[in-house]
Amino acid sequence: MSAQQTADRVGRSDALEHLARVGLVAYGVVHLLIAWLALQLAWGGGGGSADQSGALQTLAGEPFGTPLLWVLGLGLVALALWQAAEVLRYVGGLSGSGDARKKAVVGMVKSVAKAVVYAALAVSALRFATGGSSSSSGQQQQTTSGVFALPGGRFLVGIAALVVITLGGYQVVKGVRKKFLEEIDTSQASPAQLRVVTRLGQIGFVAKGAAFVVVGALLGYAAITFDPSKATGLDGAMHTVLQAPFGRWLLSLVAVGIAAFGVFCFFRARYPQRT
């Protein structure tokens, strides 16, 4: 059996798809928690990190938080495996030419990136579930410091910053042009549901993309100043937005957008595209 056939078989597994749906819901919950932390930051009502680690820490402190973290973690693992299966499906397209090969390469890169993101978030969730903790900002600073120690480290960090900024711009364009609709099967959705999904996706992807651009800019600033402490991740991006003119209102808008993305993930779980 070929790798692509194996991937198709795995990707079409009902058990894996159901777990992947749990993972999408978990991904949405994390974004809703980040949005809540961002709103608290904007209006002076909280001191937690407005990022993934802050969201998981918030959940860990709630009743039944540990079981929920286990569910989130395992669901995100399934989501990462689902994306990994998508990578193998594109292998056959590499033997083609022209647009077919380009589509396969782009599809593989996107699937790998998503699998890595989901896997990293799954590890963080499971770490909190087992009583551990982690800081997204601290990890990014530590990683940046390690890269700085490599030959041409500042150059590598600068490239990483450009990649993150480009990714953020891509998310914004994806939201504006409604390209996210290609990732969700809405054939069974009513016209009203489709309008809701479209608006949530537009708002969510634009807000998330804007946050990525700020994260990339901070990483670029760290490269320019040769100071890893400037690479503060999403939490640092939230604080940067807060310090801008009308920052409280701007951060509130970002929070609403991230919350919209979280709800979009719920619809993504309801109407998954099955390739």
Side-chain angles (χ1 to χ4, degrees), residues 61-85:
E62 295 298 319
F64 305 106
T66 297
L68 287 175
L69 283 168
W70 276 106
V71 173
L72 262 64
L74 295 176
L76 287 164
V77 168
L79 200 53
L81 291 174
W82 199 33
Q83 286 300 317

Side-chain angles (χ1 to χ4, degrees), residues 119-199:
L121 190 54
V123 170
S124 295
L126 294 175
R127 182 178 292 132
F128 276 101
T130 54
S133 63
S134 62
S135 168
S136 299
S137 296
Q139 288 176 350
Q140 182 162 329
Q141 291 173 3
Q142 185 177 3
T143 300
T144 303
S145 179
V147 174
F148 275 150
L150 300 173
R154 178 182 287 186
F155 179 70
L156 293 175
V157 172
I159 291 177
L162 290 176
V163 170
V164 174
I165 291 172
T166 301
L167 177 60
Y170 168 74
Q171 296 285 326
V172 172
V173 172
K174 187 176 182 178
V176 172
R177 298 183 61 185
K178 306 178 187 178
K179 298 291 286 184
F180 55 86
L181 290 175
E182 298 175 2
E183 301 176 359
I184 181 171
D185 183 4
T186 56
S187 59
Q188 302 300 317
S190 68
Q193 289 173 325
L194 181 58
R195 285 194 295 272
V196 171
V197 170
T198 301
R199 294 295 174 265

Side-chain angles (χ1 to χ4, degrees), residues 49-51 135-141 144 214-215 217-219 222 227-240:
S49 298
D51 56 14
S135 168
S136 299
S137 296
Q139 288 176 350
Q140 182 162 329
Q141 291 173 3
T144 303
V214 178
V215 170
L218 292 173
L219 190 57
D227 184 357
S229 67
K230 304 298 183 184
T232 49
L234 182 58
D235 182 55
M238 297 294 190
H239 282 84
T240 299

Side-chain angles (χ1 to χ4, degrees), residues 99-112:
D99 291 341
R101 177 178 291 182
K102 181 180 179 180
K103 183 178 180 180
V105 171
V106 171
M108 288 182 70
V109 171
K110 289 169 63 176
S111 294
V112 167

Side-chain angles (χ1 to χ4, degrees), residues 27-50:
Y27 199 51
V29 168
V30 170
H31 281 80
L32 289 177
L33 289 173
I34 292 174
W36 172 242
L37 291 171
L39 282 175
Q40 287 186 310
L41 176 62
W43 299 98
S49 298

